[in-house]
Amino acid sequence: MSTQSALGLLGGTFDPIHHGHLRLGIEARQRLGLGAVRLIPAGQPPHRARPGTPAEHRLAMTELATCGLPGFEVDPAEVLSQQTSYTVATLERLRKELGAMRPLVLILGADAFLGLAGWHRWRELFGLAHIAVATRPGYVLADALYGGELAEECPQRLAQDVRILQSEPAGAIVPFTIPSLEISATLIRHALAHDEDARFLLPPAVLDYIQAHHLYSHLPRTA
Ligand code: ATP
Ligand code: MG
């Protein structure tokens, strides 16, 4: 039994960070009993096109969005690193920093989880952290159980009782339901490129930052 509170890890390109991400972090913290949630903006993610927005801007927006939000931290290490951002490498670094017994909980939306078997050294993730998977509109979590490599790994790791996130340091997959917010960074980039009003999709401070730095004012590549 671990005596240290579980730490949630929420990675993303955050291009830009929005209320879908923030609500996901808050829900995870409350429902899964996490001591804190650490947001980790990706520097150079391997599994998708490089984000259109420079990492320093994405980090600054993440800091603005979480400023004054209790229980949230921002980890700039992937942004500051020159290396490709692999989640497995980030978890190895955090294990060294936090010790073998601290429960770590990688928080993923259903879309990200369904693509997990394409991630670098993905099976090793379970030796380093738990994975908590949140519902996301448009994605069916149960699809992970049918066929493919993910389906081989899922059944024996699936846990419904969130207490495993405190009692073990790593290894479980815990699904959880959050209120549906059909918000994506793609949608916001598209709205801003077309000069549409994006208020209430993301924090006002982030929108102010976007306007001050003239981000997303031209049509971005689609993700
Ligand atoms: P993009 O449209 O550029 O892919 P995004 O909105 O999906 O951006 P990401 O940075 O790709 O944001 O996502 C980071 C994490 O947050 C992923 O695990 C993703 O599943 C999750 N997430 C993002 N938006 C939501 C949402 N509205 N509901 C639930 N999970 C979400
Ligand atoms: Mg995404």
Side-chain angles (χ1 to χ4, degrees), residues 186-206:
T186 302
L187 172 90
I188 293 170
R189 291 194 300 273
H190 190 266
L192 294 171
H194 289 87
D195 229 0
E196 290 169 6
D197 190 342
R199 284 177 301 165
F200 307 105
L201 297 172
L202 68 175
V206 175

Side-chain angles (χ1 to χ4, degrees), residues 60-73:
M61 291 189 281
T62 306
E63 282 169 345
L64 280 172
T66 52
C67 178
L69 207 53
F72 278 76
E73 305 165 2

Side-chain angles (χ1 to χ4, degrees), residues 50-189:
R50 197 180 159 80
T53 310
E56 316 79 75
H57 284 313
R58 294 183 291 101
L59 174 62
M61 291 189 281
T62 306
E63 282 169 345
L64 280 172
T66 52
C67 178
L69 207 53
F72 278 76
E73 305 165 2
V74 179
D75 185 335
E78 287 193 8
V79 165
L80 300 178
S81 165
Q82 298 305 310
Q83 310 287 317
T84 303
S85 301
Y86 289 117
T87 300
V88 69
T90 292
L91 290 178
E92 285 171 340
R93 170 177 63 81
L94 291 172
R95 269 286 160 230
K96 279 199 197 116
E97 188 185 305
L98 301 167
M101 293 315 292
R102 176 91 184 258
L104 298 179
V105 182
L106 187 62
I107 303 163
L108 299 178
D111 60 311
F113 182 71
L114 290 173
L116 194 72
W119 293 19
H120 185 54
R121 291 163 53 202
W122 70 278
R123 287 183 197 271
E124 293 174 49
L125 297 173
F126 297 105
L128 293 160
H130 299 292
I131 298 188
V133 193
T135 47
R136 183 170 190 185
Y139 299 89
V140 180
L141 209 45
D143 286 353
L145 297 173
Y146 306 114
E149 285 185 281
L150 197 54
E152 290 164 20
E153 200 67 43
C154 273
Q156 70 271 24
R157 297 196 176 277
L158 261 187
Q160 299 298 337
D161 188 341
V162 300
R163 282 175 297 186
I164 196 167
L165 303 178
Q166 311 296 331
S167 61
E168 301 289 335
I173 298 173
V174 176
F176 67 113
T177 303
I178 63 172
S180 298
L181 288 176
E182 207 162 354
I183 302 174
S184 68
T186 302
L187 172 90
I188 293 170
R189 291 194 300 273

